[in-house]
Amino acid sequence: MQLVFATNNPNKLKEVQALLPSSITLLSLKDVGCLEDIPETQPTIKGNAIQKAEYIKQHYGHDCFADDTGLEVKALHGKPGVFSARYAGEQRNANDNMDKLLSKLQVKDDRSAQFKTVIALHINNQLHTFTGICEGYITKEKKGNKGFGYDPIFRPKGYESTFAEMDLGLKNNIGHRGKAVQQLVEFLNNLTQTV
């Protein structure tokens, strides 16, 4: 089975490919010739994931899935949320985003937050969604050099390390994207067994 993963982020591609069964070949947007920016204009994380999956299906005809992820900080009423990648501006710079978030939290006591990933799968002309959540805390400084995005300042609940200090296997096991992908994989496994 071939599936398009609607992302241009090589880190995400690598993370997800590591979780999928070998019977599924993952294609990137580049592999199918999609070089344009896919619209992400919905007000929710779930809405953006669905919009991206539907765009690929409509324009390229491939079965596909797309994800959208946001970091929701309790003291900031769920922000940056759907704007996580562009929190500090359209340049989508991870360090700028982290610096802005750390600055906003300087005067806040509650540093609890959660990462949320929603995956929208478009397959056999049907749409399915899967949601993964990882609760944790925003640290006071950046730690670690693995991962990407907000990983250096997010410490999952029950752990002393940030995502950026963890190896990929552990992060995939406990993380938001890993949880959503596990649901996707279970669904795809059931689908391939019934075909």
Side-chain angles (χ1 to χ4, degrees):
M1 180 193 293
Q2 283 195 334
L3 270 179
V4 175
F5 181 15
T7 186
N8 282 313
N9 184 327
N11 293 306
K12 269 192 200 178
L13 206 60
K14 190 171 140 190
E15 263 187 30
V16 172
Q17 182 69 73
L19 292 165
L20 290 175
S22 56
S23 59
I24 295 171
T25 306
L26 210 53
L27 302 174
S28 68
L29 290 176
K30 199 173 166 186
D31 292 332
V32 297
C34 177
L35 304 174
E36 69 267 28
D37 280 338
I38 299 174
E40 292 181 61
T41 55
Q42 300 304 307
T44 64
I45 292 167
K46 182 178 181 178
N48 274 339
I50 291 170
Q51 184 179 24
K52 288 189 276 188
E54 289 184 334
Y55 183 91
I56 294 302
K57 187 66 181 173
Q58 286 168 6
H59 291 81
Y60 295 90
H62 290 280
D63 282 341
C64 63
F65 65 94
D67 78 323
D68 198 36
T69 295
L71 176 63
E72 300 172 333
V73 180
K74 192 173 177 185
L76 302 179
H77 311 289
K79 290 180 181 169
V82 75
F83 300 106
S84 293
R86 303 179 294 279
Y87 191 46
E90 286 303 319
Q91 74 277 16
R92 294 172 172 244
N93 181 283
N95 274 314
D96 293 349
N97 290 338
M98 286 188 282
D99 290 342
K100 179 177 178 178
L101 183 58
L102 290 173
S103 161
K104 293 257 184 198
L105 286 178
Q106 270 181 340
V107 294
K108 306 284 186 186
D109 292 327
D110 185 355
R111 301 184 77 85
S112 57
Q114 67 176 24
F115 265 122
K116 180 196 281 182
T117 292
V118 177
I119 292 176
L121 170 69
H122 216 303
I123 195 163
N124 301 333
N125 295 313
Q126 289 186 317
L127 185 70
H128 307 271
T129 59
F130 311 93
T131 302
I133 288 174
C134 182
E135 295 180 348
Y137 308 92
I138 303 300
T139 57
K140 294 196 171 178
E141 58 186 14
K142 299 171 196 169
K143 290 181 180 173
N145 56 9
K146 299 175 187 168
F148 59 98
Y150 293 90
D151 286 357
I153 61 169
F154 183 81
R155 180 172 60 81
K157 199 180 266 186
Y159 292 84
E160 295 302 314
S161 309
T162 66
F163 270 165
E165 295 174 293
M166 293 180 175
D167 67 57
L168 187 57
L170 178 57
K171 182 188 168 189
N172 272 342
N173 205 27
I174 65 169
H176 48 293
R177 188 171 295 107
K179 288 176 181 174
V181 171
Q182 281 160 13
Q183 294 168 44
L184 170 72
V185 168
E186 278 174 34
F187 179 86
L188 290 171
N189 279 336
N190 290 336
L191 196 67
T192 53
Q193 284 164 13
T194 56
V195 173

